[in-house]
Amino acid sequence: MRRMIFKSLVHGPLTEAAPAADAAALAELAAQVNAAARRRLGRTLSIREVDAGSCNGCELEIHALNNVLYDLERFGMRFVASPRHADVLLVTGPVTINMREALERTYQATPHPKWVVAVGDCGRDGGVFAGSYACVGGVSAVLPVDLHIAGCPPAPLALLKGLLALLENAERGAGAAV
Amino acid sequence: MKTLRELIDEGQTIAAHRPWPRALVGEEAWLQAIGLLQEQTCTLLGLWGDNATVHLALLDEARKEPALLSYECEDDSYPSVGRLHAPAIRLERALRDLSGLDPEGLPDTRAWLDHGKWPVLRPLGKTERVAATRKRKPYPLLSAEGESLHQIPVGPVHAGIIEPGHFRFTASGETVVRLEERLGYVHKGTESLLAGQAPERAAMLAGRVSGDSTVAYALAFARALEAALGAEVPARAVWLRALMAELERLANHFGDIGAICNDAAFAMLHAHCGLLREQVLRAAAACFGHRLMMDCIVPGGVRADLPGDARRRLADLVAQVRKYFPELIELYDNTASLQDRTVGTGVLSAKLARQFGCGGYVGRASGRAFDARRMPGYAPYDRLQFELPLREEGDVDARVWIRIREVEQSLALVEQILLALPDGPVARPLPAANAAEGVALIEGFRGDILAWVRTGADGRIARCHLRDPSWFQWPVLEAAIEGNIVADFPLCNKSFNCSYSGHDL
Ligand code: SF4
């Protein structure tokens, strides 16, 4: 272990500064989120993720935001365990009927001001599950949604861009779509 | 007692069913089949309803013979399998909720997937619309009595970024004396949606049963449909499918090894494994056009051929992992504080693993040497060399080690596939539509996935059933946690990593 720690010290962080367009976008996001987030919420944005019937694909990509390459926390955003600590609910899935009540209660447990981000094609309108007897079909059918991030699942970078768009649009109080 | 083969031979064979035999049997043979399960001559592969018929998929492991027995219900009921063979209980509860067929004698009369909120009853059977406002009975959880026991309810919304489900712990001090799971929160009605779909659309739905296993599900569905229709898949597509399946296995194993360590508060391995996972996903995106490879397997082949630099890209990935991963293994092996958490924690006995036919690393960490790539087996694995890692301990540590060894095997498989990848087309149109039935058993990263398809004369899916490996893993998690401390539950749970979405469907 000591060898690995030593290596990390010598080589510096693995977090990407790659020359690809992705990295450029990340760097840009880093600056913008910091400015916008500070204006609205101080330095941080606390996110509570709620799976409202996802296939788990969206969760996998949301998880990836935490890996060393994307390192969400450097933008001042982090995932919290309780809705009571959250500014943002990040909701995935077509909202199954069996999860509807839990989702509503989670929303009620989140203090104001709060934003809801619907993630994935399922979160937008139910995706491939639209029309099922077991799904409400889209987060906006249950909660006021501030932003939709499309994709099946949206890649980590799309998620990052979406969270930034939320911050900018929260200023104007309007919904947005990316 | 008769063998499975004899029961099939004596029944009324359904010619349109491929590649395993299926026979319609009467009550006597049905009861004998339950006997085969009970004495563990056969393993339960699945149990589902199709109109008024119940299908029972079995595997005679010693003879390597899988088969389906079907029972036609009169008065919408059939002799319960779960009454004598516990692994079938939840399947039968779900079957009753969805198809409305009653397992006669099943001791657990509670609904399972139906939480009393859907606007319909029996969505897959004699459907009836009901008022959404109907009065709901509370769900009676099993009781636990004793001095100074207390209960801890957890979920459906959990603290982490994970799927929803409810866990009810009864604890004595810190020790869990009973865990009861309540699932069904992410039931999406996928099987109802599948009915009536054209093959392409159905494949998309199958690929979204459990996002982490999208490749395995798409493969299982495609193979079942292709078996039904007698479709020939080009050799190159068969190999590319295996390549995707192994990449999916690698990505999941890396993610989960890291996450297990994280649940033992060892964040360093989590960070390193997360990096490896990301590298696999990026390679997958570069080679197949989607990070999780969703919709890349289609009935008849694969969606697209590899781009020109794919071989180099994948060879680089393998080389990188080979260089990087051994250090992580060493770290896992030599960190006493981590081992202290994983060794001896959450032990699943070999007996239960065998009885429930636990697939994947859960079974293999408890001495069950089963892998669908070997048995019943499917191409191209018959032409590939790989070992089946096996452990006897059945604890969190053993499940981690199985994953570690499987990473090594999958790397070797990726290399072999790249070397032997045949040329040619990557897809072929499906043969003309006809009414037929097909079945497939595919080894996903989590274990064996069963897919069963019945097509109509119009070429659309008349009925499709998809059985997740978690059906036979969730129940034994309840047993594995007994006697452990509550704080070790996340660790145990992650080491099983059962699917909620795959189970709830
Ligand atoms: S949007 Fe796609 S990945 Fe996300 S939950 Fe829906 S089906 Fe799964």
Side-chain angles (χ1 to χ4, degrees):
Chain A
M1 174 156 42
R2 248 175 302 161
R3 201 175 65 232
M4 287 183 75
I5 293 174
F6 181 70
K7 250 202 235 166
S8 317
L9 285 175
V10 175
H11 291 298
L14 289 159
T15 307
E16 273 187 329
D22 282 12
L26 277 179
E28 189 188 315
L29 283 168
Q32 290 187 54
V33 170
N34 274 337
R38 213 169 293 142
R39 247 192 342 269
R40 291 291 304 173
L41 300 148
R43 298 179 61 87
T44 64
L45 189 57
S46 297
I47 305 166
R48 168 67 243 204
E49 200 271 347
V50 184
D51 176 338
S54 126
C55 77
N56 196 27
C58 282
E59 275 64 34
L60 293 174
E61 294 297 55
I62 292 172
H63 259 296
L65 290 173
N66 279 330
N67 75 31
V68 292
L69 295 176
Y70 298 106
D71 188 18
L72 185 72
E73 290 212 16
R74 74 181 140 143
F75 303 111
M77 296 187 264
R78 67 196 177 100
F79 289 98
V80 293
S82 166
R84 298 200 191 280
H85 303 157
D87 308 305
V88 174
L89 290 186
L90 200 60
V91 186
T92 64
V95 190
T96 57
I97 296 208
N98 289 351
M99 264 309 282
R100 181 184 188 140
E101 185 187 340
L103 176 62
E104 285 167 346
R105 286 209 207 173
T106 307
Y107 181 75
Q108 282 152 16
T110 310
H112 282 285
K114 56 187 164 189
W115 291 269
V116 176
V117 179
V119 172
D121 292 352
C122 286
R124 189 185 52 204
D125 58 6
V128 296
F129 303 105
S132 167
Y133 64 88
C135 298
V136 179
V139 180
S140 61
V142 180
L143 300 180
V145 174
D146 297 286
L147 173 75
H148 292 91
I149 303 176
C152 184
L157 206 68
L159 289 164
L160 268 178
K161 284 182 181 161
L163 291 169
L164 169 68
L166 167 80
L167 284 161
E168 291 187 340
N169 281 273
E171 292 279 281
R172 286 181 247 123
V178 286
Chain B
M1 186 164 274
K2 286 179 182 149
T3 64
L4 179 59
R5 165 123 312 264
E6 284 164 348
L7 292 177
I8 289 284
D9 289 345
E10 289 169 20
Q12 183 189 329
T13 313
I14 309 294
H17 193 273
R18 282 176 290 243
W20 314 345
R22 171 164 97 81
L24 212 57
V25 297
E27 182 158 348
E28 203 193 309
W30 183 261
L31 293 174
Q32 290 197 15
I34 299 173
L36 291 176
L37 287 170
Q38 223 185 338
E39 64 169 27
Q40 295 180 18
T41 312
C42 286
T43 308
L44 179 62
L45 290 182
L47 182 64
W48 66 99
D50 180 15
N51 294 326
T53 306
V54 178
H55 300 299
L56 176 66
L58 302 163
L59 175 68
D60 186 331
E61 287 196 34
R63 294 182 179 78
K64 303 189 188 230
E65 287 175 350
L68 269 77
L69 296 178
S70 307
Y71 183 90
E72 272 179 5
C73 299
E74 280 172 34
D75 309 329
D76 292 335
S77 71
Y78 66 96
S80 163
V81 179
R83 185 172 69 90
L84 296 166
H85 188 60
I89 292 176
R90 287 182 181 175
L91 288 167
E92 291 194 316
R93 291 170 67 189
L95 195 161
R96 182 171 48 199
D97 291 352
L98 298 178
S99 294
L101 304 175
D102 194 36
E104 246 170 81
L106 183 69
D108 197 334
T109 56
R110 297 173 298 171
W112 181 238
L113 299 178
D114 186 349
H115 290 193
K117 299 180 177 181
W118 302 333
V120 296
L121 293 177
R122 303 177 291 275
L124 284 172
K126 292 178 186 154
T127 311
E128 184 191 322
R129 293 204 72 82
V130 285
T133 51
R134 78 197 134 116
K135 192 139 176 52
R136 289 198 306 272
K137 286 188 254 76
Y139 184 81
L141 288 156
L142 302 176
S143 62
E145 283 168 25
E147 223 174 296
S148 64
L149 294 182
H150 64 284
Q151 290 203 340
I152 310 170
V154 178
V157 178
H158 297 151
I161 305 170
I162 58 168
E163 302 182 84
H166 182 81
F167 300 115
R168 182 66 59 96
F169 297 94
T170 305
S172 167
E174 277 199 279
T175 309
V176 179
V177 294
R178 165 171 265 168
L179 162 64
E180 185 177 359
E181 297 153 357
R182 190 183 184 203
L183 302 173
Y185 290 92
V186 286
H187 175 79
K188 293 181 267 295
T190 308
E191 293 194 351
S192 290
L193 289 170
L194 275 161
Q197 299 293 349
E200 301 71 37
R201 178 78 182 172
M204 288 178 70
L205 279 162
R208 284 161 180 78
V209 168
S210 182
D212 52 19
S213 305
T214 179
V215 170
Y217 266 97
L219 179 56
F221 172 78
R223 284 195 70 98
L225 180 69
E226 288 152 7
L229 299 178
E232 286 249 352
V233 177
R236 187 171 174 83
V238 169
W239 286 74
L240 286 176
R241 287 172 168 189
L243 184 57
M244 289 185 222
E246 296 312 317
L247 289 176
E248 180 173 87
R249 207 179 314 280
L250 282 169
N252 281 304
H253 282 353
F254 287 138
D256 287 350
I257 293 169
I260 294 167
C261 295
N262 199 42
D263 278 341
F266 197 72
M268 187 173 170
L269 268 175
H270 180 52
H272 284 280
C273 288
L275 177 66
L276 288 176
R277 175 181 163 85
E278 180 68 21
Q279 282 167 344
V280 176
L281 296 188
R282 288 183 181 189
C287 296
F288 295 101
H290 190 285
R291 284 163 57 90
L292 304 180
M293 296 168 283
M294 227 169 221
D295 304 328
C296 291
I297 292 180
V298 293
V302 299
R303 192 177 54 187
D305 206 342
L306 292 174
D309 62 345
R311 274 171 196 274
R312 186 192 49 77
R313 182 86 213 233
L314 291 170
D316 283 354
L317 174 74
V318 172
Q320 231 179 342
V321 174
R322 283 247 163 85
K323 188 162 150 233
Y324 197 55
F325 194 53
E327 263 185 283
L328 304 186
I329 304 173
E330 201 190 308
L331 184 58
Y332 175 79
D333 204 14
N334 291 337
T335 305
S337 60
L338 186 55
Q339 297 275 313
D340 183 45
R341 296 290 305 280
T342 59
V343 175
T345 307
V347 176
L348 172 67
S349 71
K351 187 168 157 274
L352 270 182
R354 198 175 55 243
Q355 186 196 354
F356 276 75
C358 298
Y361 45 81
V362 173
R364 292 192 280 271
S366 291
R368 182 172 185 256
F370 178 81
D371 188 319
R373 291 173 294 177
R374 283 268 167 82
M375 189 200 7
Y378 48 95
Y381 291 99
D382 47 347
R383 305 207 7 229
L384 295 166
Q385 304 284 327
F386 66 103
E387 283 164 26
L388 218 60
L390 202 65
R391 297 279 288 227
E392 305 290 337
E393 298 88 335
D395 55 2
V396 173
D397 180 59
R399 287 185 283 277
V400 171
W401 276 110
I402 295 285
R403 302 261 208 151
I404 291 173
R405 294 290 169 241
E406 286 185 21
V407 163
E408 292 159 358
Q409 295 303 316
S410 287
L411 289 174
L413 283 169
V414 168
E415 282 181 322
Q416 290 175 50
I417 293 168
L418 288 176
L419 275 177
L421 190 63
D423 289 328
V426 295
R428 214 168 270 153
L430 293 175
N434 63 64
E437 299 170 357
V439 64
L441 195 73
I442 295 298
E443 188 72 16
F445 87 95
R446 184 179 276 123
D448 51 299
I449 295 166
L450 180 84
W452 185 83
V453 173
R454 178 163 63 79
T455 56
D458 57 356
R460 288 178 177 268
I461 307 303
R463 175 83 172 92
C464 173
H465 173 68
L466 299 160
R467 194 270 302 145
D468 197 83
S470 307
W471 281 98
F472 303 125
Q473 297 169 340
W474 274 122
V476 294
L477 175 63
E478 289 181 352
I481 188 67
E482 234 179 80
N484 286 260
I485 58 171
V486 177
D488 274 344
F489 179 70
L491 191 60
C492 294
N493 192 23
K494 196 71 217 176
S495 76
F496 274 71
N497 191 22
C498 303
S499 169
Y500 300 69
S501 183
H503 167 282
D504 294 353
L505 212 61

